C-alpha cells in the first residue's frame, strides 16, 4: 500500500495563510516510483469510448498531436484508486473534516505542450457543486522553470471568485506575486479553488507530467458522478466528440 502523507501543523498553518502549501517529499522511494509507473500505464491504455478521457493538443513546435491531459482515471486503474484514497487524509486535515473525491487528471505538458493562463479553479464552474475544493498536485516528472512548473499567488484565496469562465486579466492579477514552485517526483502542492495559479508552456525537451486530484468537504456531498456527466456533455474526451462541432476550453 502507498503511504498516506501527513501534514505538519506548520504546513496546515501555511495553507490557511497562503491558500496553498508545498509539501516536498510527500511520497518517497517505491511510492513515488509507483506513481510514475502508474502514470505511464495510463498513458499507454487504449483510448476507447466509455473509458478514461484522453485530450490532445498540437505541439507548439511542429503541430504534431500530443496527449495534453487524461481525466477520469481512478475508475479504470487500481493504482490511482489507491492514490485517491491516500490523498484524502491531508485534504481532510486542511478542511477539518472528511472529504470526497470530485475529479482527478494527469496534465502531461509534453515538450511543445502549452501552459496555463492565470486562473482560479472555481472559475471552471465548480462553484455550483461545492463552496470550495482542495486540489493535490502530485509531481510525477521533475518540474522546473524550463518545463513549466506550477506558479501560485499566495494570500489571495479569501477574495472569492475574481472573474467568470475566462482567464484572469492583467488587471485582476495586478499586485499579485506568482511564486514558481519547482518540484521533484513525489512532491505535492495543495491549493484551494480560489488560489490563482498559472504555468509556462514546456519549451524544453523534458516531459512534465503532474497528477491533480480534487476533493470537497464530505458535508457538501458527493458530486463525482454529476460533475462527470455534465462535463461529458459539454467537453467530452476527444474520442467521443461529434465531427464538425466546436468545443471550447475556457479555464
Ligand atoms: O498543469 C499545470 O501546470 C496547471 C494546471 C491547472 O491549473 C489546471 O489544469 O487547472
Ligand atoms: Fe488550475
Amino acid at each position: 500500500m502507498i503511504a498516506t502523507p501527513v501534514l505538519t501543523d506548520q504546513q496546515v498553518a501555511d495553507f490557511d495563510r497562503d491558500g496553498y502549501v508545498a509539501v516536498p517529499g510527500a511520497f518517497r522511494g517505491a511510492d513515488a516510483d509507483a506513481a510514475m509507473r502508474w502514470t505511464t500505464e495510463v498513458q499507454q491504455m487504449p483510448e476507447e469510448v466509455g473509458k478514461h478521457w484522453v485530450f490532445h493538443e498540437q505541439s507548439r513546435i511542429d503541430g504534431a498531436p500530443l496527449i495534453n491531459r487524461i481525466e477520469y482515471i481512478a475508475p479504470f486503474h487500481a493504482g490511482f484508486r489507491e492514490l485517491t484514497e491516500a490523498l484524502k487524509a491531508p485534504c481532510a486535515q486542511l478542511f477539518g473534516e472528511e472529504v470526497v473525491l470530485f475529479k482527478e487528471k494527469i496534465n502531461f505538458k509534453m515538450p511543445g505542450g502549452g501552459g496555463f493562463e492565470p486562473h482560479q479553479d472555481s472559475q471552471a464552474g465548480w462553484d455550483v457543486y461545492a463552496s470550495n475544493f482542495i486540489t493535490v498536485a502530485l509531481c510525477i516528472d521533475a518540474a522546473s522553470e524550463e518545463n513549466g512548473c506550477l506558479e501560485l499567488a499566495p494570500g489571495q484565496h479569501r477574495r472569492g471568485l475574481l472573474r467568470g469562465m475566462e482567464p484572469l486579466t492583467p488587471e485582476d492579477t495586478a499586485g499579485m506575486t506568482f511564486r514558481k514552485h519547482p518540484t521533484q517526483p513525489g512532491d505535492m502542492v495543495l491549493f484551494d479553488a480560489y488560489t490563482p495559479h498559472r504555468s509556462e508552456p514546456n519549451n524544453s525537451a523534458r516531459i512534465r507530467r503532474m497528477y491533480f486530484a480534487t476533493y470537497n468537504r464530505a458535508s457538501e456531498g458527493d458530486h463525482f458522478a454529476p460533475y462527470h456527466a455534465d462535463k461529458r456533455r459539454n467537453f467530452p474526451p476527444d474520442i467521443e466528440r461529434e465531427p464538425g462541432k466546436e468545443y471550447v476550453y475556457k479555464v
Side-chain angles (χ1 to χ4, degrees), residues 105 107 116 119-121 126 150 191 195 197 212 249 251:
K105 66 180 174 189
N107 283 351
F116 291 81
H119 65 277
Q120 300 166 296
D121 283 343
W126 294 4
L150 278 182
F191 54 98
T195 293
H197 55 285
F212 295 82
Y249 182 81
V251 278

Side-chain angles (χ1 to χ4, degrees), residues 2 34 37 39 43 74 76 104 127 130 134 137 141 167 175 177 181-182 184 189 200 215:
I2 201 159
R37 188 175 69 248
T39 298
Q43 197 171 342
F76 307 101
E104 30 98 65
D127 53 331
I134 293 171
D141 306 298
T177 305
H181 282 274
Q184 292 297 316
V189 179
E200 293 280 341
Y215 300 85

Side-chain angles (χ1 to χ4, degrees), residues 16-29:
D16 284 339
R17 186 193 59 220
D18 293 338
Y20 75 88
V21 64
V23 183
F27 294 92
R28 298 172 190 273

Side-chain angles (χ1 to χ4, degrees), residues 204-241:
S204 82
R206 285 176 189 272
I207 189 169
R208 193 231 65 174
R209 295 172 300 180
M210 201 172 283
Y211 179 66
F212 295 82
T214 301
Y215 300 85
N216 62 267
R217 293 180 179 92
S219 61
E220 293 190 335
D222 180 347
H223 305 288
F224 188 88
Y227 169 78
H228 287 88
D230 293 346
K231 181 141 190 193
R232 183 171 241 139
R233 255 191 314 278
N234 301 327
F235 201 76
D238 290 353
I239 198 168
E240 293 182 18
R241 292 191 170 192

